[in-house]
Amino acid sequence: MYHLACVSCGATYPADEIIYNCKKCGHLLAVKYPLDTITVSKKVWDKRPLSVWRYKELLPVRIDPISLQEGGTPLYHLKRLGDEMGLKHLYAKHEGMNPSGSFKDRGMTVGVSMAIQLKKTSVACASTGNTSASLAVYAAKAGIPAIVLLPAGKVAVGKVAQALMHGAKVISIRGNFDRALEMVHELCLSHGLYLLNSINPYRLEGQKTIGFESIDQLGDVPDRIVLPVGNAGNISAVYKGLLELQELDLIDSLPMMTGIQAVGSAPVVRAIRENLPEVIAETNPETVATAIRIGAPVNGEKALVAIRKTGGIAETVTDDEILRMQRDLARKEGIGVEPASAASVAGIRKLVETGDIDRNERIVCVVTGHLLKDPDTVIKQCEPPTEIDADLPSLLSALHLSS
Ligand code: F0G
């Protein structure tokens, strides 16, 4: 049976204790499996469909999961963009193809299943949007109420629409994500709701399967995995999963974990650049990529370890670079993603230009959320439709064709 362990002081707690921070030192907790007693067979995994649940031996859920068939997302070879950048082996793992349109579903299928396993009757989160949409979806599937706190006016419309339609109680606070997380954390501790932000160790277990699937789809360990970083839960989760595969002798190398942030919201990049032992919070994060508009990443220190231990890189990209890559992915590869997701590939374009990566690397960029999440930012960048009278001459003239 697995247990919880503090990522800093190593103090341990039973698996069914509902706890998000170490009682001794306040740091986060992680799920620890007795890997020497777990039988995992690659052959058995390969027989199962590609999905979060292919890897169930390395997940904490012991009940029938609350599932909507999450994971199993496509890994696309970015041929045209790769050619432009001089990279033969550039891939995008399109997490926007999950049930609610983001990678959060991998975490929520596990997190909400754990809420049920732990006999919790209500769930809550703070969110820049995708977590709230995903929580609303999985709480609906489980038949339990969900409360979500959003930073007012800073969440893309598609995400708010999902949270509302799937029946969550949606609260917009006049404050940013970091404050919303503090508030919901206090609410959960005082009122017994189950907190499903990335400080929840069980939710992150689901997200580590992005790394597992990437290896299975590529047929080998990529040299580099690139993720947009907000709260830094995802990059830490993927790293944790890969360490487990290494300990199980299922892989013999680790990819260089590479984190990309927006220039206006880059506390993790700063800590790496300045070689700081911890992440210093930014008070006023700002970026067009609202999903990663986070100044105080709760998993920041875990991300520093992931990046440093694997010889990875942390880099920033400007809002213009993000939006240019969003358009390039859409128009040159047919891949529709939201701005935060484009940050990972935009980061690679920048790192190739600065000469910081080897062009022969096999690189998997995780593109985290679907284009339709944030239609307003899309429409602002595109020419509006040409409206014409309903007759053929008007059509030909609009197309600059002769009649
Ligand atoms: N990409 C997208 C589309 C996201 O929604 C998020 C996080 C990230 C990347 C960053 O992942 O936080 O694990 O480093 N969104 C959270 C939310 C914060 O509330 O939806 P991270």
Side-chain angles (χ1 to χ4, degrees):
M1 186 56 176
Y2 57 87
H3 63 270
L4 298 172
C6 174
V7 298
S8 179
C9 75
T12 60
Y13 301 91
D16 58 358
E17 186 164 343
I18 298 183
I19 177 173
Y20 310 103
N21 293 92
C22 178
K23 288 186 216 161
K24 298 202 172 101
C25 72
H27 279 85
L28 295 177
L29 304 170
V31 184
K32 280 263 176 261
Y33 302 92
L35 292 177
D36 46 349
T37 65
I38 290 182
T39 320
V40 179
S41 147
K42 181 91 178 57
K43 272 202 190 125
V44 173
W45 280 358
D46 285 346
K47 282 196 193 114
R48 298 178 188 155
L50 195 69
S51 97
V52 168
W53 298 103
R54 170 185 272 206
Y55 312 99
K56 62 184 179 190
E57 291 82 0
L58 292 183
L59 295 173
V61 178
R62 300 291 175 260
I63 58 169
D64 252 359
I66 308 298
S67 172
L68 290 156
Q69 296 182 18
E70 43 294 309
T73 55
L75 182 74
Y76 296 123
H77 181 212
L78 301 183
K79 172 102 183 47
R80 209 166 272 136
L81 282 177
D83 281 351
E84 275 181 23
M85 295 181 214
L87 299 174
K88 277 201 200 67
H89 313 289
L90 181 64
Y91 298 86
K93 179 117 176 99
H94 194 352
E95 289 296 298
M97 303 297 270
N98 274 297
S100 83
S102 85
F103 70 95
K104 304 288 178 178
D105 296 341
R106 294 180 186 269
M108 286 305 174
T109 182
V110 172
V112 173
S113 297
M114 286 306 291
I116 303 297
Q117 186 169 315
L118 294 167
K119 309 222 168 351
K120 301 300 284 186
T121 52
S122 56
V123 287
C125 71
S127 182
T128 57
N130 282 322
T131 300
S132 69
S134 184
L135 183 62
V137 164
Y138 282 86
K141 178 75 179 165
I144 56 172
I147 295 173
V148 305
L149 268 68
L150 307 177
K154 293 292 184 180
V155 177
V157 68
K159 305 173 188 181
V160 183
Q162 289 177 294
L164 291 170
M165 181 52 109
H166 289 290
K169 174 72 184 163
V170 180
I171 312 269
S172 279
I173 68 150
R174 292 182 210 100
N176 64 19
F177 168 84
D178 302 306
R179 180 66 193 129
L181 182 53
E182 283 169 10
M183 286 172 65
V184 78
H185 194 174
E186 277 175 45
L187 175 77
C188 287
L189 292 179
S190 60
H191 286 74
L193 293 94
Y194 194 53
L195 180 59
L196 276 166
N197 278 101
S198 56
I199 63 171
N200 182 309
Y202 292 122
R203 197 195 101 189
L204 289 182
E205 290 300 291
Q207 288 174 209
K208 73 188 182 187
T209 60
I210 296 176
F212 298 174
E213 285 186 12
S214 299
I215 292 172
D216 282 353
Q217 286 169 302
L218 209 57
D220 206 348
V221 181
D223 298 304
R224 190 181 293 280
I225 297 189
V226 191
L227 298 105
V229 172
N231 230 354
N234 212 25
I235 192 167
S236 317
V238 171
Y239 175 63
K240 175 184 187 281
L242 296 172
L243 286 181
E244 288 166 356
L245 294 192
Q246 196 179 39
E247 207 174 320
L248 289 163
D249 277 333
L250 292 173
I251 58 173
D252 50 21
S253 64
L254 292 173
M256 292 175 273
M257 300 302 298
T258 299
I260 310 296
Q261 296 197 293
V263 164
S265 181
V268 172
V269 177
R270 191 150 309 126
I272 292 281
R273 275 191 192 146
E274 296 172 17
N275 207 16
L276 306 177
E278 53 190 45
V279 174
I280 297 170
E282 272 178 24
T283 38
N284 290 309
E286 209 44 83
T287 166
V288 69
T290 51
I292 51 171
R293 183 177 169 271
I294 294 177
V298 285
N299 293 284
E301 266 106 77
K302 285 155 63 184
L304 297 185
V305 174
I307 295 167
R308 286 177 177 147
K309 287 251 163 120
T310 59
I313 305 178
E315 185 54 276
T316 55
V317 282
T318 64
D319 282 0
D320 282 349
E321 287 166 336
I322 289 173
L323 295 178
R324 185 179 151 220
M325 184 52 80
Q326 185 189 25
R327 293 192 299 274
D328 280 349
L329 282 165
R331 292 177 181 188
K332 297 179 181 172
E333 298 288 352
I335 298 175
V337 302
E338 65 168 291
S341 314
S344 58
V345 195
I348 284 301
R349 174 143 66 195
K350 182 164 174 190
L351 289 169
V352 169
E353 282 163 9
T354 54
D356 284 303
I357 59 174
D358 178 342
R359 287 176 196 263
N360 293 317
E361 286 180 9
R362 285 157 310 169
I363 302 170
V364 172
C365 295
V366 182
V367 295
T368 42
H370 200 277
L371 177 143
L372 291 173
K373 292 282 191 173
D374 187 357
D376 292 334
T377 307
V378 171
I379 284 168
K380 270 190 219 146
Q381 296 177 70
C382 301
E383 286 286 312
T386 312
E387 189 172 323
I388 57 165
D389 288 334
D391 57 58
L392 202 58
S394 303
L395 177 60
L396 293 175
S397 142
L399 298 174
H400 307 294
L401 295 172
S402 55
S403 43

